[in-house]
Amino acid sequence: MAEIGKTVLNSGWLAARSTEVDFNGVQLTTTHPPSGPTSPWMNALVPGTVLATLVENKVLPDPFYGLENKAIIDIADSGREHYTFWFFTKFQCKLAVNQHVDLNFRAINYSAEVYLNGHKRELGKGMFHRHSLDVSDILSPDGQNLLAVIVHPPDHPGSIPPTGGQGGDHEIGKDVAAQYVEGWDWMTPIRGFWELGLELMLLDSTFSSYWLRYYEFVAEGSNVKAHQNFKSMS
């Protein structure tokens, strides 16, 4: 029986560029999981960005020293597939009766598909979007679970015009993401699990009732008032 509480999945991760992986998410989490950090797979930093993982593995130089940032190909030149990456890990979790578990994502830039033991779940788009998936029914009965996540960059990364300029061509404004990354050499790169990675939240579902708290916003003249309400969900 798994212990009630939170487990942060911040170790044991591998990453690989999607164009260099021959298997899909179902295969990666059933018949063909990566065995370790052998090409094209490498040890991954989670939480962390794709760039942080590439720098850590010395695939790319540290862009914060000298002019090393010039060695990093821009997504406008490489295409989105170049910066689309798989992340993979294993974790132990075996449920008892009346238990369920949520897989929580704090922040992913920009979109992702999640595969757990051969089952696919899609996450909504947005750099600031938090996600919670109830995976109780797709955990492995023996407690050995395989998790793969493919992370895509923003849909409209844009480019920097020949004349330069802060914010580039502003195409990235079409996405829910940081708006001023193009042309700003002081901005921190943020592709990947850019906040507190992933966590498992294991709960006991034997309770007989619970309460839902919600807010109602009411316009009164030129003011808007928020009313807090509670509703029994027995």
Side-chain angles (χ1 to χ4, degrees):
M1 175 178 174
E3 183 178 352
I4 301 297
K6 179 174 70 176
T7 300
V8 179
L9 302 179
N10 59 0
S11 62
W13 285 88
L14 299 172
R17 183 170 280 115
S18 64
T19 54
E20 298 175 357
V21 176
D22 296 327
F23 304 108
N24 59 36
V26 173
Q27 294 169 318
L28 289 174
T29 56
T30 53
T31 57
H32 293 82
S35 58
T38 55
S39 183
W41 296 92
M42 64 191 84
N43 291 317
L45 296 177
V46 175
T49 63
V50 167
L51 179 58
T53 287
L54 294 175
V55 171
E56 178 70 15
N57 287 276
K58 302 189 185 306
V59 177
L60 291 175
D62 191 328
F64 295 104
Y65 286 88
L67 297 176
E68 299 285 21
N69 62 310
K70 291 189 174 182
I72 302 173
I73 185 171
D74 191 89
I75 193 171
D77 300 319
S78 68
R80 295 176 67 251
E81 294 78 10
H82 186 75
Y83 289 111
T84 299
F85 268 68
W86 279 106
F87 290 83
F88 176 87
T89 193
K90 303 176 182 179
F91 66 89
Q92 285 267 358
C93 185
K94 186 176 183 179
L95 300 184
V97 178
N98 296 323
Q99 285 187 331
H100 75 268
V101 65
D102 291 339
L103 181 62
N104 298 324
F105 295 79
R106 289 285 299 275
I108 288 183
N109 191 28
Y110 180 67
S111 61
E113 293 98 52
V114 179
Y115 294 84
L116 179 60
N117 301 323
H119 300 271
K120 180 182 179 181
R121 300 288 187 269
E122 290 194 16
L123 303 184
K125 297 181 179 182
M127 173 182 167
F128 310 102
H129 195 172
R130 294 191 175 185
H131 312 270
S132 184
L133 302 175
D134 184 346
V135 296
S136 309
D137 60 340
I138 57 176
L139 290 181
S140 175
D142 63 7
Q144 304 277 352
N145 298 282
L146 304 180
L147 174 64
V149 184
I150 185 168
V151 179
H152 304 275
D155 295 338
H156 307 90
S159 62
I160 300 175
T163 55
Q166 294 173 335
D169 58 8
H170 301 289
E171 277 293 296
I172 200 169
K174 296 178 180 179
D175 296 328
V176 183
Q179 300 296 295
Y180 295 101
V181 292
E182 297 169 284
W184 293 70
D185 58 7
W186 47 266
M187 288 292 292
T188 302
I190 44 178
R191 286 181 294 275
F193 299 100
W194 69 275
E195 205 187 322
L196 178 64
L198 296 92
E199 54 191 31
L200 290 174
M201 182 65 75
L202 185 62
L203 303 172
D204 192 325
S205 59
T206 58
F207 53 78
S208 59
S209 65
Y210 61 96
W211 291 84
L212 172 67
R213 180 175 66 181
Y214 63 98
Y215 293 89
E216 180 182 9
F217 294 90
V218 180
E220 296 182 1
S222 60
N223 299 315
V224 176
K225 293 186 178 181
H227 301 276
Q228 181 173 266
N229 300 280
F230 293 88
K231 181 179 181 182
S232 174
M233 304 294 289
S234 300

